[in-house]
Amino acid sequence: MSVAAPVRRSGSGFRISKRVLPYVLSLPALLVCIGILIPFITAIVYSLQRYRLSQPWARQFNWGENYVDFLSDPAFWNTLQISLIYAGLTVILELVLGLAIALLLQKRTTLNNFISIMLLMPLMTAPALAALMWKLMTNPGFGILSYLATLVGLEDFRWASSPSTALFTVVLVDIWVYTPFMMILLLAGLRSLPTQPFEAAALDGVPRSFVFFRITLPMLMPYILTATLFRLLDSIQQFDIIYAMTQGGPGNKLTVFQVEAYLNFFQSTNVGRSAALLLVLWAITFFLSNIFVKNWLRLRERARGEA
């Protein structure tokens, strides 16, 4: 006489089939992907049109004419040059300063932990607010930094209002805001490194310079690449600091991609050119991110091979 197996009775809760469950779990990611693709495809369509908000009746497809015009447009090449210079200066300086601070705070002590927390304060400030604060401090009439500049002999230092010093000023603000980001990533990397190589080097009396260049830097390189990639992609798309301080000026001295696209859209109402500029910026960031990711994967594979 066979005894029937007990049947597990589920409650009144809703049960999902195992075949359907993977699709349900991937639904949020699909919705996010759709939310990203819709504006992206819209921008592509706009970039292929001659479209001004002030002349909606003249809207028509020009099939890439906006991109062809960039080749002979000095304003576009100025935008490309300024964007790359700004991104290069900020990333290099922030990487060097962030690494130097991280090395100083590498040892786990109460004081070092307190200092690292305090150094994160600029990162918690909105970039636009930080730029307005620095704009007040660098005001030639009553700014505290302008006053300090006169004490060291820099009379009538114009800061962001002069073409010769505007780039220096916005780079300085960017460094103040984002160096803590580089510092905290590199500090986390330094504190996660294995201690055995450093202990062996200390026992052998290896010079500190050799330890830094031959042990610390190679082991820290994946963290450096990650931090550099994040900052590079952000700095080449910078808008808040530059627009809040200079609106892209003086003249066209700081018309980076985001500022140029903003001015084309809201001042010139040239939707097609604005969309084309942003898509060129997307292509540049896509190219740079691919380079960094490939190098990061190569370093990871080499580390696995050595392990």
Side-chain angles (χ1 to χ4, degrees):
M1 181 177 180
S2 61
V3 180
V7 178
R8 294 183 180 179
R9 296 183 178 275
S10 60
S12 58
F14 179 73
R15 298 186 62 184
I16 301 176
S17 171
K18 291 184 178 180
R19 293 183 178 180
V20 181
L21 184 59
Y23 300 99
V24 175
L25 294 177
S26 61
L27 184 60
L30 178 62
L31 293 176
V32 171
C33 184
I34 293 173
I36 294 173
L37 287 177
I38 290 176
F40 182 74
I41 295 173
T42 303
I44 293 176
V45 174
Y46 284 161
S47 71
L48 299 176
Q49 296 180 1
R50 185 182 295 108
Y51 180 22
R52 288 180 178 269
L53 292 178
S54 58
Q55 301 173 352
W57 59 86
R59 178 179 178 180
Q60 61 179 346
F61 279 94
N62 57 16
W63 303 111
E65 185 179 322
N66 292 322
Y67 298 99
V68 175
D69 290 343
F70 288 155
L71 299 177
S72 58
D73 187 0
F76 169 78
W77 294 109
N78 176 73
T79 296
L80 178 63
Q81 179 183 6
I82 293 299
S83 299
L84 294 177
I85 291 174
Y86 179 86
L89 284 175
T90 53
V91 171
I92 292 173
L93 293 174
E94 288 164 14
L95 176 61
V96 173
L97 289 174
L99 180 58
I101 298 171
L103 289 170
L104 293 174
L105 302 177
Q106 182 178 1
K107 190 175 181 181
R108 294 179 183 272
T109 64
T110 303
L111 178 60
N112 285 351
N113 291 337
F114 175 75
I115 293 174
S116 62
I117 292 173
M118 295 304 296
L119 289 175
L120 290 176
M121 296 299 290
L123 193 59
M124 300 178 186
T125 307
L129 293 178
L132 292 175
M133 178 182 69
W134 276 79
K135 191 173 184 178
L136 291 174
M137 292 194 300
T138 56
N139 186 284
F142 54 82
I144 181 63
L145 292 181
S146 295
Y147 172 73
L148 294 176
T150 60
L151 296 181
V152 296
L154 296 176
E155 299 290 343
D156 196 29
F157 193 72
R158 306 305 297 178
W159 298 97
S161 60
S162 171
S164 60
T165 56
L167 180 61
F168 164 79
T169 305
V170 294
V171 167
L172 184 63
V173 179
D174 197 293
I175 290 173
W176 183 82
V177 174
Y178 290 110
T179 297
F181 174 80
M182 302 288 277
M183 179 270 297
I184 201 65
L185 286 182
L186 297 178
L187 181 60
L190 284 170
R191 291 182 174 180
S192 66
L193 296 180
T195 59
Q196 292 84 355
F198 301 100
E199 293 172 353
L203 290 174
D204 294 338
V206 178
R208 289 187 176 181
S209 59
F210 184 90
V211 172
F212 176 73
F213 287 106
R214 295 301 182 91
I215 299 177
T216 304
L217 271 184
M219 296 174 66
L220 193 64
M221 193 55 65
Y223 298 93
I224 292 176
L225 284 177
T226 302
T228 304
L229 174 61
F230 282 132
R231 278 302 305 131
L232 182 62
L233 296 183
D234 189 42
S235 61
I236 203 170
Q237 303 176 67
Q238 181 57 249
F239 174 80
D240 309 42
I241 294 175
I242 294 176
Y243 190 79
M245 291 202 72
T246 68
Q247 288 79 46
N252 62 350
K253 186 67 179 179
L254 291 173
T255 51
V256 295
F257 272 104
Q258 292 276 29
V259 174
E260 180 72 7
Y262 178 88
L263 295 176
N264 271 271
F265 190 96
F266 289 99
Q267 290 189 4
S268 304
T269 68
N270 193 339
V271 179
R273 179 181 169 84
S274 178
L277 281 168
L278 292 178
L279 284 172
V280 171
L281 176 60
W282 171 83
I284 294 173
T285 55
F286 181 79
F287 174 74
L288 293 175
S289 61
N290 270 340
I291 293 176
F292 275 85
V293 170
K294 287 179 180 178
N295 281 283
W296 185 86
L297 292 174
R298 181 175 54 83
L299 288 173
R300 188 181 67 172
E301 291 300 324
R302 188 172 66 181
R304 286 180 176 179
E306 292 176 355

